[in-house]
Amino acid sequence: MDLELRHLKIVRAVAEAGSVTKAATQLGLAQPSLTAQLKRIERTLGGALFERDRNGARPTPLGQLVLTRARVLLPAVRELQEEAVRFANSYEGIPGFRIGATHGPILGGLVDRLTAVHPQTPVSTSTSWSARELTSLVSAGRLDFALIGTCGDTPPPSAESMIWSVVGTDPVFALLNQSHPLAGEKELDLASLADEGWAVAPGDGCFADCFAGSCARAGFVPKTMYETDVATCLHLVKVGKAVALCQATFELTADLVMMPITGAPLRWRHLLGWHASSVAARAARAISHHAREAHDDAIRRSVPYAEWLARNPHFGTVP
């Protein structure tokens, strides 16, 4: 017989009641049934848990050990159950979720989790290159949540009554054609790419300035910059016209390799934002939890990032 929580409850009840008879009454069981269960529990644990006589039942040393563990485990399990109920019911009264996102690794996994946990709650999404636009839409009540990214420690766009939760922080990696002369390196110094053209997706933050600053510190000025959509960035890398800057969670396609940049001079912070007084804000804790799980999944799918993260544990998903 495997030990179960109900067995620990029986042991606790007998100890607190001081006798098997009283414990049986409190548990709503017949005394012979409780006595038989207690004997099975004792056989499972390898010895007597109580000394029983006409004066009642007193824990043996083994019983004291089991009681000590039970008094920790049983409240912890009860708290887990209560928290799970709160988590499951956090969507009650919320008609649906409207989520806006800049391009990143989290939105798909977040939608997958929301629709699996609460299939009756509608979820809609929209995307934009502009974190400011998404923030404004949440502030105006046209979206419930915004998933955005900021460069390094740059604060998110300002808007009245917005609350932001950090999902995780990723390094920015370089994306190269697999035939590139540097493709076999473990990581790249930014200076080694001084003669390359660069491809990057657009945005309204400070990333372009931060990249220019990193290049200046590495001793060069980028010769060519292509700010364009993701598909065009990938095409330029595949045909050898550029090196792309990408989030470390990028899912590789054929003919491409993703390389860490020495010292991680560029970082991308993922944020989830919502309006403090919105109806959907009641579910913000649960949504944040799902978003972090989605980000963690994206890390596991990226073998180069997962390996790099083992050496740089201060990056990744927020615990």
Side-chain angles (χ1 to χ4, degrees), residues 14 61 68 127 191:
V14 172
T68 299
T127 58

Side-chain angles (χ1 to χ4, degrees), residues 81-153:
Q81 291 173 327
E82 292 172 351
E83 185 173 354
V85 170
R86 288 194 299 270
F87 187 91
N89 294 330
S90 60
Y91 304 107
E92 187 175 343
I94 299 174
F97 295 108
R98 302 163 298 170
I99 305 171
T102 53
H103 291 266
I106 299 172
L107 182 59
L110 176 57
V111 170
D112 186 33
R113 282 167 171 74
L114 289 177
T115 53
V117 173
H118 288 276
Q120 303 305 316
T121 303
V123 178
S124 62
T125 64
S126 60
T127 58
S128 172
W129 294 112
S130 173
R132 293 193 190 98
E133 178 186 1
L134 294 175
T135 302
S136 297
L137 291 173
V138 173
S139 184
R142 295 172 59 188
L143 288 175
D144 298 310
F145 293 93
L147 279 167
I148 68 166
T150 63
C151 182
D153 296 322

Side-chain angles (χ1 to χ4, degrees), residues 27-56:
L27 294 172
L29 299 172
Q31 181 186 339
S33 174
L34 181 59
T35 299
Q37 289 191 54
L38 186 57
K39 287 181 179 179
R40 288 196 294 271
I41 294 169
E42 289 177 325
R43 286 197 297 270
T44 299
L45 294 175
L49 299 180
F50 295 96
E51 296 177 355
R52 297 190 287 275
D53 55 30
R54 71 179 68 181
N55 295 318

Side-chain angles (χ1 to χ4, degrees), residues 76-256:
V77 171
R78 185 183 66 251
E79 291 175 5
L80 172 61
Q81 291 173 327
E82 292 172 351
E83 185 173 354
V85 170
R86 288 194 299 270
F87 187 91
N89 294 330
S90 60
Y91 304 107
E92 187 175 343
I94 299 174
F97 295 108
R98 302 163 298 170
I99 305 171
T102 53
H103 291 266
I106 299 172
L107 182 59
L110 176 57
V111 170
D112 186 33
R113 282 167 171 74
L114 289 177
T115 53
V117 173
H118 288 276
Q120 303 305 316
T121 303
V123 178
S124 62
T125 64
S126 60
T127 58
S128 172
W129 294 112
S130 173
R132 293 193 190 98
E133 178 186 1
L134 294 175
T135 302
S136 297
L137 291 173
V138 173
S139 184
R142 295 172 59 188
L143 288 175
D144 298 310
F145 293 93
L147 279 167
I148 68 166
T150 63
C151 182
D153 296 322
T154 304
S158 60
E160 186 176 353
S161 300
M162 285 292 294
I163 297 176
W164 295 97
S165 174
V166 180
V167 176
T169 302
D170 297 331
V172 174
F173 282 1
L175 196 63
L176 284 69
N177 187 295
Q178 65 178 5
S179 62
H180 193 285
L182 298 175
E185 299 295 323
K186 187 174 183 180
E187 62 180 30
L188 301 174
D189 288 325
L190 193 57
S192 67
L193 301 170
D195 294 329
E196 302 288 345
W198 294 88
V200 63
D204 55 8
C206 65
F207 183 78
D209 292 337
C210 292
F211 174 60
S214 296
C215 293
R217 288 188 290 274
F220 71 97
V221 175
K223 293 183 176 180
T224 306
M225 284 292 296
Y226 302 101
E227 185 178 88
T228 184
D229 60 274
V230 173
T232 302
C233 286
L234 296 182
H235 172 78
L236 292 172
V237 175
K238 287 182 178 181
V239 299
K241 297 296 183 182
V243 171
L245 295 167
C246 67
Q247 296 176 34
T249 49
F250 177 78
E251 294 192 39
L252 287 171
T253 58
D255 303 326
L256 299 178

